Amino acid sequence: MSNAVPPLLAALVDDAAVFPPGSLPLPDAVPAHLGHRDRPWAAMIGPLLVPAADLPEIGAAVDVGVVGEPGAVERALETIPGHLTVRQVESPVAKRGEDPAPGIDQLAGLMRKKSDEPWSWYFEVPLAWGLMRALDQLAQLRAEGLPAAAKFRTGGLAAELFPTPVELAAVICACRDRELPFKLTAGLHHAVRHTDPDTGLVHHGFLNVLAATLAAVGGAEPAELAGILAGTDGHPLAATIRGALDQPRPLWVGFGSCSVDEPVTDLTNLGLLPREVRA
């Protein structure tokens, strides 16, 4: 691991460049990802996230996360190109308003079939009806020794797709209480909670999430976490994070972002990555 990246920030950002709103074409996303691997912040970057159907289109040796509906993922995993290294599988198990239980069972069946593979499996569960029962299912899979984790969306193209600080705080505590690792995606390009000037949508900050997760692991309850998640001043957040940089990140696996440069820039400006990281 590069000394420029402290343990708390290691593998924090998965490269989701090919997904909206970035939507970088795969022929451009692959060399860009490999370019990040040659930079001082490489240890902060996870695999390149790729739609399941696009795996055969990747010509270079690269670590990938396979993303898609359970059926598409199953087909893709039957013929993985030999030059690719799969690190994780991510799949939505239900749409908003649907019961997530059947989708969890379907993906869990595939996970059991592939249990000899060293992959992490992320079950994307809507922050809606059936959520707590779904988290119980995932916790049970982990109790069986299976590498299941949760995944939640924290943004999108409409305001209702952004959970409130209170809602996100409750989810973080629910995962903590079940000892269930979780991943986030959508809307987390910047470190601190802010309003997007183009859309007017209020985005969560990934540094807010990190500080809230540290507080949750320390025993804080949802009301305190909601206050941390609602904060818009990066300096007290950075001060909190700075005191924990030398420890591994607990509970929160990280997040997918269509931009790698934005998180690196924000962390550098807040003094959490050394200035020479941007050299």
Side-chain angles (χ1 to χ4, degrees), residues 160-207:
E160 62 267 21
L161 299 179
F162 291 77
T164 68
V166 171
E167 291 168 335
L168 187 53
V171 169
I172 292 173
C173 286
C175 289
R176 174 203 61 195
D177 294 344
R178 293 164 174 79
E179 299 182 349
L180 178 65
F182 68 94
K183 181 185 180 185
L184 300 177
T185 192
L188 286 170
H189 303 164
H190 288 289
V192 181
R193 183 174 178 84
H194 66 284
T195 300
D196 187 305
D198 295 325
T199 66
L201 297 173
V202 181
H203 288 243
H204 289 285
F206 66 80
L207 211 61

Side-chain angles (χ1 to χ4, degrees), residues 74-97:
E74 183 169 16
R75 290 188 295 272
L77 295 180
E78 292 304 318
T79 55
I80 302 170
H83 57 279
L84 299 183
T85 300
V86 173
R87 296 297 184 191
Q88 60 207 47
V89 176
E90 305 183 13
S91 184
V93 296
K95 297 181 175 66
R96 289 176 67 87

Side-chain angles (χ1 to χ4, degrees), residues 22-39:
S23 303
L24 194 65
L26 195 58
D28 298 327
V30 172
H33 179 77
L34 294 174
H36 291 305
R37 292 289 174 200
D38 288 333
R39 303 298 291 175

Side-chain angles (χ1 to χ4, degrees), residues 27-115:
D28 298 327
V30 172
H33 179 77
L34 294 174
H36 291 305
R37 292 289 174 200
D38 288 333
R39 303 298 291 175
W41 60 81
M44 200 177 82
I45 311 305
L48 178 66
L49 302 182
V50 181
D54 291 348
L55 285 186
E57 305 304 316
I58 303 175
V62 65
D63 291 0
V64 297
V66 182
V67 182
E69 302 286 342
V73 165
E74 183 169 16
R75 290 188 295 272
L77 295 180
E78 292 304 318
T79 55
I80 302 170
H83 57 279
L84 299 183
T85 300
V86 173
R87 296 297 184 191
Q88 60 207 47
V89 176
E90 305 183 13
S91 184
V93 296
K95 297 181 175 66
R96 289 176 67 87
E98 292 180 346
D99 182 359
I104 290 175
D105 288 340
Q106 181 183 2
L107 190 61
L110 177 58
M111 181 172 58
R112 289 188 173 94
K113 284 171 57 178
K114 300 291 186 179
S115 60

